[in-house]
Amino acid sequence: MSDYKESKDNPLHKEYGILSNTRYIIRKMAQYQPSVLFLMFIGLVAGSVFSYFWGIFGKYVIDIIQTQDGESGERELIKLILIAGGIAAVLTICTVTSGSKTWYRWIYIRMNMINERIAKVLDLKYELLEKPDVLDVAERASQATGGNNNGVEGMMHLMMQLGQSSLTVIVTFIAVTVLDARLIIAMVVLTIVQYLYFRHIIKVDKREVWDKLSGSWRSRHYMERITQDFDFAKDIRLFHLSDFLTEKFNALNAFFIEKNDYHHKLWLRYNFVTAAAGTAIKILVYAVLYVSVLKKDMSVGNFTMFLSFSLAFSGALMNLLQRFGDYKRASLETDDFRSFIDLETGDDEKDCIPLPQTDSFEFEFVDVSYKYLKSEKEALSHLNLKISAGEKIAVVGLNGAGKTTMIKLLLRLYDPSQGYITLNGIDIRKFRRADYYKLFAPVFQNVEIFAFLMSENIAMKRKDGLDFERADKAAREAGLEERIASLTKGLETPLTKIVEDDGVDLSGGEKQKLALAKALYKGAKIVVLDEPTSALDAIAEQNLYERFDEMIGNKSAVYISHRLASTRFCDRIAMFEDGRLVECDSHEKLMALNGKYANMFNVQAQYYREHPENGGNADA
């Protein structure tokens, strides 16, 4: 589409302007493929000259035929043909070379700009990735690097087309003005009328077709996805949904056909207007030339040349107007890309200090509160908690109690809305995030498997940079020994079938064991387990926690679990409720206190006794 809705609803969106974006894209071309600028230049010059070259050649051929006879005329004609043939050959070589060598260089430049976008995403603070405005501008930046005549690559394509049309208009304008200035005025008026109707059709087409189809596209994609998604296959068959889904598809298709018909009718009308305007321009050109021949004794050669110049001017002017609209749209999309790349993260780490050179790390939450974006209630409120070096602490509570928020603050995925967290008495915001992250070996409840080798998933490094023996030991200690033994390639097995056909999928329990292996391999100073064993039964979870605790030795550890019995071995247990720390002490002391923790523990123990099939026992 040539019309693009300018987005000003996002406060992160910036407007740079066409000239600024043009300079920006030229700098990117010079940065990644400087030769493309020269190729574009020779291509646009050759393309411009070609649009009226044969008219000039025709003039001189006719002049020679009319003015020279015999052998001298033949010699001049042969000489002209050879010269024109040589010029045409050069122009052809320039055009073909430019066309064949620019397109993949444009793609290469766009791919490098995609790399810039991905690097920006990977560099963003985790907290920003949950903000709708950031996600929106990131998605717009992704669309701006989509290719074709859109966004950043579209500006490169269109820049060359506009350059060629502009050069042609300038050269032919002078020639047509010499012929008759009134012809220029008439051609400009007719071209503008044609262009205005073109813009009108685009607006109507967008409003009546594409805007109304936008919701239907989502519906269609959703319908296509669920009919091919294995997760939906059981319900579709067991509940006989095939007819129901087919009817929905037919209704969507009928709507698409209706809008498609309207779309083609609009552009059919435009084609008639274009043909009428083109015919009118040709009539005017021939009329002026006819008068010039009759009243100004214009030669046939000049007639041919000025006809070529006039038609080239008309075509170039129309193309210039149309492509400028496309160029403006591509520039607006480039605004989206630059808005994201220039996004200020507010995380200046220039004056950061190095981490303490010690194996003893103590953390303290000092009146820490955190509120999620657009949430009225604090997820964590006025938390004061110290985690001593080498201490094993359990964080327990119901869902929504603030456990995971507390962990994300400790890991510095979030920064507190109020208060601060210290490491050995120093505010953790004084350390570089990358350095601070190295202190932790986290295992989260939702385990994400990368389409890499199993060894690479454990080490989080490329195959040629990991310690294979260490990865193998970590995997076996985490309980993956049997699974590895069942695989022909062992740790060299690719995971998931997304990339490799011989990839394997892991069960929920195996994924969580893989996450534990990842933490063991990293060997960081502090281990954090955020309910990574939810796919295991209560006894298996307890055994795994206790075994994992033995494996990490005297390292500090924070364990989160909604099963209170799993973490009885910890030095202290921090009980959260509604975002607040309500109790914190050892299991024995909290049971003796007979408060909220003791009550929840007894409820869970009773549940296990009454339902032994769930894997619990009276002492769980």
Side-chain angles (χ1 to χ4, degrees):
M1 295 297 294
S2 296
D3 206 19
Y4 180 78
K5 183 179 179 181
E6 186 173 352
S7 302
K8 299 181 180 179
D9 55 318
N10 190 323
L12 300 178
H13 178 80
K14 298 178 182 178
E15 298 176 13
Y16 296 85
I18 289 180
L19 291 178
S20 175
N21 285 335
T22 300
R23 291 193 296 269
Y24 179 79
I25 295 299
I26 290 175
R27 287 198 299 270
K28 288 298 175 184
M29 288 190 284
Q31 177 183 351
Y32 293 120
Q33 280 288 314
S35 62
V36 78
L37 293 171
F38 175 72
L39 291 168
M40 288 171 64
F41 177 75
I42 64 171
L44 72 86
V45 171
S48 173
V49 174
F50 245 141
S51 65
Y52 46 81
F53 171 75
W54 294 113
I56 299 174
F57 172 69
K59 165 194 162 43
Y60 287 103
V61 169
I62 294 172
D63 286 347
I64 290 174
I65 293 174
Q66 287 184 327
T67 58
Q68 298 187 38
D69 297 324
E71 293 183 1
S72 62
E74 290 179 2
R75 286 194 298 271
E76 288 297 319
L77 189 58
I78 292 172
K79 181 179 177 182
L80 176 63
I81 291 174
L82 291 175
I83 294 173
I87 295 173
V90 171
L91 293 175
T92 300
I93 291 171
C94 290
T95 303
V96 172
T97 301
S98 175
S100 62
K101 290 184 176 292
T102 53
W103 67 270
Y104 65 85
R105 283 177 167 80
W106 288 330
I107 293 175
Y108 178 83
I109 295 164
R110 176 171 61 84
M111 296 304 293
N112 277 277
M113 296 178 76
I114 289 175
N115 289 343
E116 290 183 24
R117 176 178 59 80
I118 292 174
K120 183 71 174 183
V121 172
L122 295 176
D123 194 48
L124 286 178
K125 292 192 297 183
Y126 176 84
E127 188 175 8
L128 291 176
L129 296 176
E130 294 186 330
K131 294 186 176 182
D133 289 341
V134 175
L135 294 176
D136 177 63
V137 77
E139 175 60 25
R140 294 179 186 180
S142 176
Q143 294 176 4
T145 52
N148 298 322
N149 274 342
N150 302 316
V152 296
E153 187 177 340
M155 285 197 73
M156 296 181 236
H157 285 267
L158 294 164
M159 195 181 296
M160 183 172 174
Q161 295 179 34
L162 288 174
Q164 180 176 323
S165 295
S166 298
L167 181 60
T168 303
V169 166
I170 292 170
V171 173
T172 55
F173 174 84
I174 298 171
V176 178
T177 302
V178 171
L179 176 63
D180 192 323
R182 293 170 299 179
L183 179 59
I184 283 286
I185 296 173
M187 292 172 70
V188 169
V189 169
L190 284 171
T191 303
I192 291 176
V193 169
Q194 184 181 351
Y195 172 72
L196 291 176
Y197 189 70
F198 169 76
R199 299 294 297 172
H200 168 72
I201 290 295
I202 284 179
K203 290 179 180 178
V204 173
D205 193 27
K206 182 179 183 300
R207 183 180 67 246
E208 299 299 328
V209 178
W210 301 110
D211 285 352
K212 292 184 177 180
L213 281 176
S214 59
S216 299
W217 283 116
R218 291 193 301 273
S219 299
R220 188 182 183 91
H221 292 157
Y222 172 76
M223 295 293 292
E224 290 179 354
R225 181 174 64 83
I226 65 173
T227 55
Q228 301 173 53
D229 193 326
F230 185 74
D231 292 336
F232 292 90
K234 295 189 297 294
D235 284 339
I236 291 174
R237 283 152 182 79
L238 292 174
F239 288 94
H240 307 290
L241 294 178
S242 57
D243 291 341
F244 175 69
L245 295 175
T246 300
E247 289 174 4
K248 283 189 169 291
F249 253 122
N250 289 338
L252 283 171
N253 285 335
F255 184 68
F256 270 89
I257 291 172
E258 175 190 344
K259 292 303 175 184
N260 190 56
D261 287 343
Y262 185 71
H263 167 78
H264 286 291
K265 287 178 182 177
L266 283 174
W267 289 102
L268 179 62
R269 294 209 301 263
Y270 170 73
N271 289 336
F272 277 121
V273 170
T274 301
T279 301
I281 288 173
K282 287 183 176 65
I283 291 173
L284 286 172
V285 170
Y286 278 104
V288 170
L289 290 172
Y290 178 73
V291 170
S292 297
V293 169
L294 291 180
K295 296 185 177 182
K296 300 180 181 179
D297 296 326
M298 176 183 284
S299 68
V300 176
N302 285 337
F303 179 96
T304 302
M305 182 179 67
F306 281 111
L307 175 63
S308 175
F309 277 129
S310 300
L311 297 180
F313 173 81
S314 173
L317 181 61
M318 186 63 208
N319 186 68
L320 181 64
L321 293 174
Q322 290 184 351
R323 296 290 78 77
F324 183 77
D326 293 336
Y327 192 69
K328 180 181 178 182
R329 170 188 51 76
S331 176
L332 290 172
E333 292 172 344
T334 301
D335 282 345
D336 293 333
F337 177 81
R338 296 180 68 184
S339 295
F340 180 65
I341 295 297
D342 294 344
L343 182 66
E344 296 180 3
T345 61
D347 197 24
D348 187 1
E349 297 187 331
K350 293 180 181 178
D351 300 322
C352 290
I353 62 176
L355 289 171
Q357 296 298 313
T358 178
D359 291 330
S360 178
F361 296 96
E362 180 180 88
F363 298 87
E364 185 173 5
F365 289 75
V366 182
D367 195 34
V368 170
S369 297
Y370 186 80
K371 181 187 290 186
Y372 287 95
L373 185 69
K374 298 183 180 179
S375 175
E376 297 180 358
K377 182 182 177 181
E378 288 181 328
L380 202 65
S381 180
H382 301 286
L383 172 63
N384 290 281
L385 176 67
K386 182 180 289 186
I387 304 174
S388 301
E391 184 179 21
K392 309 293 193 297
I393 185 168
V395 180
V396 300
L398 297 174
N399 290 335
K403 307 186 300 296
T404 297
T405 302
M406 175 260 184
I407 291 300
K408 289 180 177 178
L409 287 165
L410 174 64
L411 296 174
R412 212 188 162 194
L413 295 174
Y414 298 156
D415 285 329
S417 306
Q418 176 183 326
Y420 58 92
I421 303 170
T422 64
L423 166 62
N424 291 356
I426 303 172
D427 191 325
I428 62 174
R429 287 171 292 194
K430 292 185 179 295
F431 306 115
R432 289 184 65 250
R433 285 182 186 271
D435 294 338
Y436 184 77
Y437 290 157
K438 292 177 182 178
L439 293 175
F440 297 93
V443 183
F444 297 107
Q445 179 177 354
N446 296 324
V447 181
E448 301 298 336
I449 302 297
F450 294 92
F452 305 153
L453 301 179
M454 182 179 285
S455 58
E456 291 176 328
N457 269 276
I458 293 172
M460 287 289 97
K461 295 180 179 179
R462 289 172 47 181
K463 178 182 176 181
D464 55 4
L466 63 85
D467 185 334
F468 187 85
E469 291 183 1
R470 184 177 174 183
D472 183 67
K473 180 181 177 182
R476 295 178 188 281
E477 288 182 346
L480 286 170
E481 186 172 2
E482 291 185 8
R483 182 56 165 150
I484 293 172
S486 70
L487 301 173
T488 305
K489 297 182 179 179
L491 284 180
E492 300 300 292
T493 302
L495 297 184
T496 80
K497 299 182 183 298
I498 297 174
V499 176
E500 303 291 345
D501 292 336
D502 61 345
V504 300
D505 293 315
L506 301 181
S507 67
E510 289 169 342
K511 288 180 180 178
Q512 291 175 329
K513 290 177 182 178
L514 184 75
L516 294 174
K518 187 188 306 182
L520 290 172
Y521 182 94
K522 186 175 182 181
K525 304 295 184 182
I526 301 99
V527 176
V528 177
L529 270 64
D530 184 5
E531 295 194 84
T533 54
S534 58
L536 304 179
D537 59 57
I539 293 179
E541 179 188 85
Q542 182 177 347
N543 292 337
L544 191 145
Y545 267 37
E546 292 177 353
R547 185 159 56 89
F548 190 78
D549 191 64
E550 293 176 4
M551 286 186 286
I552 65 173
N554 60 358
K555 292 181 179 179
S556 300
V558 181
Y559 298 99
I560 293 182
S561 177
H562 65 279
R563 293 165 177 158
L564 308 192
S566 299
T567 52
R568 287 184 302 174
F569 63 87
C570 291
D571 300 315
R572 282 191 301 157
I573 297 173
M575 175 79 179
F576 283 80
E577 184 178 77
D578 294 329
R580 291 182 176 274
L581 177 64
V582 293
E583 294 177 357
C584 186
D585 215 321
S586 67
H587 170 75
E588 291 76 14
K589 290 182 179 180
L590 289 179
M591 292 300 293
L593 184 65
N594 200 29
K596 293 180 181 296
Y597 174 81
N599 179 64
M600 183 178 291
F601 184 89
N602 288 327
V603 168
Q604 289 189 6
Q606 180 183 20
Y607 177 78
Y608 297 146
R609 286 194 296 270
E610 293 177 354
H611 303 278
E613 69 273 16
N614 288 335
N617 55 54
D619 295 325

